[in-house]
Amino acid sequence: AGRLVRFPNPRQSKNSGGDGDGSNESNSNTSMSTEHKKSNEQQAMRTRVWLAHKLSGELVTEHDPSGRPSLLERLSRGGVGKPKRKNKGSSTMQIHLNPVGRLDMITEGLILITNDGKLKRELELPSNRLHRTYRARVHGLITLRKLKSLRNGMEIDGTYYKGMKVNLETNKGKHVKGGHTNSWLRITCVEGKNRQIRKTLDHLGLKVTRLIRTGFGDYELNTIPPGMAIEVPVKPLKSQKRRGTLVSPTSSQGGNKNKGPNRGPRSRNNRSRAETASPVEWIRYQ
């Protein structure tokens, strides 16, 4: 049912000392305007999260003095952080965008953006051990020894990198042989150290020719097109399942056995998420 609104009588004097509709309605309008403004301000301050598909060649920064492409500047132009409706009395304050973690300039893929600085810090804390998943195209000879080194962890120039979960991607159910041509690896780590994936692979003689982040905690890139972003519901840290210590396969054979049955449910989950995610509001590249 609609709400009955009483409009002031245009013939009623504004200075009337009686209990006419004019003075009461004026106070009512002022109260409604104040409540509406507070509601908009509260909506602007609520915790929000966007998933963005970073392009290769972009910097994850608000502004670059050299004029190089900036992810955050592009997202701001596309509408991220701006009020959805411009109502009278609504707050037009631009939301400060906080990227969760960083990707180097030529790495592409998933970047989380939030307006909540506290949430950003929680997601980045190494002690929370959120899983970061990447697809890496490498050039070089892939051997069992190299895969074992990645899974066990290694020290490079005085910096220790914890063991990572590494799988060689398959083609139609068959393992792709690691040779001197390009091969794809799926790597999951719990650290966000600077250029960790590139440094560890390069240390083993594997040159990364393309690197895409596909997951961060329970957030996934899925089918977000390159250069676009979507706002998603906030997932509390304690409820996220993709966190904690990684369980690496004890051997390459054991990993191969587990890979088949694990792949099925994961693909079904991806399909269900894709179906429930529609419709979406894309923020296009500007």
Side-chain angles (χ1 to χ4, degrees):
R3 182 177 60 181
L4 179 62
V5 180
R6 299 180 63 186
F7 292 93
N9 187 346
R11 297 180 182 178
Q12 183 78 27
S13 172
K14 293 183 179 180
N15 298 325
S16 173
D19 57 353
D21 291 341
S23 58
N24 292 339
E25 188 64 30
S26 176
N27 294 335
S28 176
N29 288 339
T30 302
S31 177
M32 291 174 59
S33 176
T34 303
E35 292 178 0
H36 182 69
K37 185 175 181 180
K38 288 182 179 179
S39 176
N40 286 328
E41 289 177 352
Q42 291 174 355
Q43 184 176 7
M45 293 302 294
R46 68 180 175 87
T47 299
R48 303 171 67 184
V49 173
W50 293 267
L51 304 184
H53 191 154
K54 177 188 174 298
L55 301 171
S56 177
E58 286 184 323
L59 293 174
V60 184
T61 182
E62 292 181 336
H63 176 70
D64 179 60
S66 302
R68 291 173 294 182
S70 164
L71 169 70
L72 297 184
E73 284 185 347
R74 174 171 65 79
L75 293 181
S76 296
R77 291 197 304 267
V80 173
K82 294 181 180 179
K84 295 183 178 180
R85 296 186 180 91
K86 295 183 178 180
N87 296 325
K88 184 177 180 181
S90 63
S91 174
T92 58
M93 179 179 61
Q94 176 73 25
I95 295 176
H96 181 67
L97 302 179
N98 298 285
V100 179
R102 301 277 176 172
L103 293 178
D104 61 48
M105 190 170 184
I106 59 176
T107 299
E108 53 196 291
L110 180 64
I111 279 283
L112 272 64
I113 308 291
T114 180
N115 65 328
D116 191 329
K118 181 180 179 181
L119 176 63
K120 165 187 165 69
R121 290 188 294 272
E122 288 181 347
L123 295 175
E124 290 177 342
L125 274 177
S127 58
N128 288 325
R129 296 177 295 182
L130 284 172
H131 296 180
R132 289 105 160 141
T133 303
Y134 298 82
R135 293 185 68 232
R137 187 177 66 189
V138 297
H139 181 81
L141 179 63
I142 298 177
T143 65
L144 296 179
R145 182 187 63 82
K146 293 179 180 180
L147 295 178
K148 185 177 180 180
S149 296
L150 291 169
R151 291 166 180 160
N152 292 339
M154 65 184 72
E155 183 176 343
I156 305 174
D157 297 332
T159 301
Y160 181 75
Y161 299 93
K162 293 181 179 180
M164 299 177 283
K165 184 177 179 180
V166 185
N167 290 316
L168 186 63
E169 289 197 350
T170 59
N171 182 18
K172 295 182 180 179
K174 297 181 179 179
H175 287 281
V176 179
K177 295 181 179 180
H180 288 285
T181 58
N182 286 326
S183 302
W184 283 94
L185 295 173
R186 184 174 295 273
I187 304 174
T188 301
C189 61
V190 294
E191 299 176 293
K193 292 181 179 178
N194 184 35
R195 299 175 65 86
Q196 175 176 347
I197 303 298
R198 295 183 185 276
K199 287 181 179 179
T200 52
L201 291 174
D202 182 71
H203 183 72
L204 298 173
L206 300 173
K207 181 181 179 181
V208 178
T209 58
R210 190 177 180 188
L211 186 60
I212 308 169
R213 183 156 70 185
T214 60
F216 193 106
D218 284 359
Y219 296 100
E220 294 186 10
L221 184 64
N222 284 331
T223 58
I224 299 177
M228 295 191 181
I230 180 176
E231 185 172 0
V232 297
V234 178
K235 298 181 179 181
L237 179 64
K238 294 182 179 180
S239 67
Q240 296 199 35
K241 297 180 180 179
R242 293 186 176 92
R243 57 187 295 238
T245 304
L246 293 171
V247 180
S248 300
T250 56
S251 66
S252 60
Q253 292 181 352
N256 294 344
K257 290 180 180 179
N258 294 333
K259 191 180 297 183
N262 288 338
R263 187 170 60 252
R266 188 159 55 244
S267 62
R268 287 197 296 270
N269 289 339
N270 289 340
R271 285 197 298 270
S272 63
R273 278 192 292 269
E275 292 172 359
T276 57
S278 182
V280 296
E281 182 180 354
W282 299 116
I283 299 171
R284 295 186 174 278
Y285 184 89
Q286 298 290 324

